[in-house]
Amino acid sequence: MDDFQARLAQRAQQVGARLEEVLVSDPNADEVALPPQLIAAMRHGALNGGKRLRPILVVETASLFGGHEASALDVGVALECIHCYSLIHDDLPAMDDDDLRRGQPTVHVKFDEATAILAGDALLTLAFDVIASADGLDDAAKVRLTMALARAAGRGGMVGGQMLDLEHETKEADATTIRRIHAMKTGALIRFATQAGAICAGAPEADTVRMTRFGELLGLTFQLADDLLDVTASAEAMGKATGKDAKAGKKTQVAILGIDWARDQLGRYVSEANALLDTFGDEAEFLRQTARYIANRKR
């Protein structure tokens, strides 16, 4: 295992361990009975593997600017709660109707639809609890992070992008429209990850803007790579169903512009993203490698 993969695995382990702590402890446990089935469903949806890419980006970006690791880790865990809630809801019969996630039964299959909905709701609200409770962040940073995450996850970000995606299942969409949907549905949370890392570390505003753009480009890269894998990878490799977009007649940039275009565009996204890091020299090498990893991933 090379140094990059080793560090990626170490960070993922840190995130998973902190996420597990958050999902088994509650400061109000003496006063509030936590429903066991709800907690089990939340844990199944959040602890069932995953690359932990978004929280890793929070922690690594904060590290670039000398931020407090424990604070950034909590913010990353909050972001992962949002991401996992979105996956639980995306898998529901009313949405993507998937039975498999990360090689395991989806939450509504393992439990039931109502429990899956509530588990997603609980992870969503837990995210803001985690940020508000994070040590090492002043109140101004917590307010800024809360606002940024709410906007990235909400009507103008992930949820809005999901709505547009559903609407365009029955409408013609050109490549520009699809790119806008991707920037909201997938890109907004990844953009928040690098923005949040800079905020956690108290980075200068110009650097926060730079890292926000870096995250935006990573988000576009991630979704385009995902669409490419849906065409080229097996369900076994991905741990979920593949080829669903083509079967449903759903338009993607890959379907409209082709596999060769997609691979070339991934290279352009990575080049532009990594150029933003030139000012940070060797200290940003892990983030550069992360951009390449996202573009070239196999699952």
Side-chain angles (χ1 to χ4, degrees):
M1 182 182 292
D2 63 24
D3 290 345
F4 171 74
Q5 291 291 339
R7 185 163 166 179
L8 201 65
Q10 179 190 27
R11 287 299 194 196
Q13 186 177 32
Q14 285 180 307
V15 172
R18 181 60 182 136
L19 186 57
E20 182 156 14
E21 288 177 358
V22 166
L23 288 171
V24 297
S25 63
D26 189 316
N28 299 313
D30 292 338
E31 303 172 20
V32 180
L34 302 178
Q37 177 154 307
L38 177 64
I39 303 305
M42 292 169 70
R43 289 175 61 82
H44 182 75
L47 299 177
N48 193 15
K51 292 177 283 295
R52 311 303 188 197
L53 178 64
R54 293 157 187 81
I56 289 171
L57 285 169
V58 177
V59 175
E60 287 291 343
T61 303
S63 177
L64 179 64
F65 296 104
H68 187 243
E69 184 172 295
S71 302
L73 184 60
D74 275 356
V75 175
V77 164
L79 175 56
E80 189 72 354
C81 286
I82 297 280
H83 174 56
C84 292
Y85 120 72
S86 77
L87 299 182
I88 293 172
H89 282 192
D90 281 353
D91 289 336
L92 289 167
M95 301 284 279
D96 292 342
D97 194 15
D98 276 316
D99 295 336
L100 197 67
R101 170 69 66 180
R102 296 168 177 165
Q104 298 293 326
T106 49
V107 176
H108 72 274
V109 170
K110 185 172 177 64
F111 296 90
D112 55 65
E113 287 186 45
T115 300
I117 292 168
L118 292 173
D121 292 345
L123 285 167
L124 167 61
T125 51
L126 177 61
F128 297 101
D129 187 334
V130 171
I131 289 178
S133 304
D135 292 330
L137 293 174
D138 62 29
D139 289 346
K142 289 180 180 180
V143 169
R144 190 175 180 188
L145 288 162
T146 298
M147 182 181 294
L149 182 55
R151 290 177 176 176
R155 59 188 180 180
M158 181 188 70
V159 173
Q162 181 69 63
M163 187 72 249
L164 290 174
D165 194 38
L166 289 171
E167 288 177 352
H168 281 86
E169 286 182 355
T170 56
K171 294 180 182 178
E172 284 296 319
D174 58 21
T176 300
T177 300
I178 293 169
R179 187 177 184 273
R180 180 166 65 89
I181 292 171
H182 290 173
M184 295 169 66
K185 179 183 174 183
T186 303
L189 290 189
I190 296 177
R191 182 185 70 227
F192 169 81
T194 52
Q195 177 189 26
I199 293 171
C200 286
E205 187 60 27
D207 286 335
T208 301
V209 170
R210 181 185 298 272
M211 296 311 300
T212 302
R213 175 58 180 165
F214 176 75
E216 182 178 2
L217 288 163
L218 292 193
L220 292 171
T221 302
F222 188 96
Q223 184 61 58
L224 184 55
D226 209 50
D227 288 345
L228 187 59
L229 286 168
D230 190 62
V231 174
T232 61
S234 67
E236 290 76 19
M238 292 293 285
K240 62 180 181 179
T242 57
K244 290 190 67 177
D245 291 339
K247 290 174 186 175
K250 183 178 176 181
K251 293 297 184 184
T252 66
Q253 290 183 90
V254 177
I256 294 172
L257 299 171
I259 290 174
D260 289 342
W261 172 87
R263 288 174 173 154
D264 287 344
Q265 184 60 38
L266 286 171
R268 287 189 286 271
Y269 281 149
V270 170
S271 293
E272 184 181 349
N274 284 347
L276 292 166
L277 304 178
D278 286 348
T279 188
F280 305 120
D282 292 343
E283 295 298 314
E285 184 56 26
F286 181 85
L287 291 173
R288 292 189 191 92
Q289 291 185 61
T290 302
R292 292 191 287 270
Y293 164 76
I294 291 171
N296 298 318
R297 64 196 175 92
K298 304 301 180 186
R299 56 184 291 272

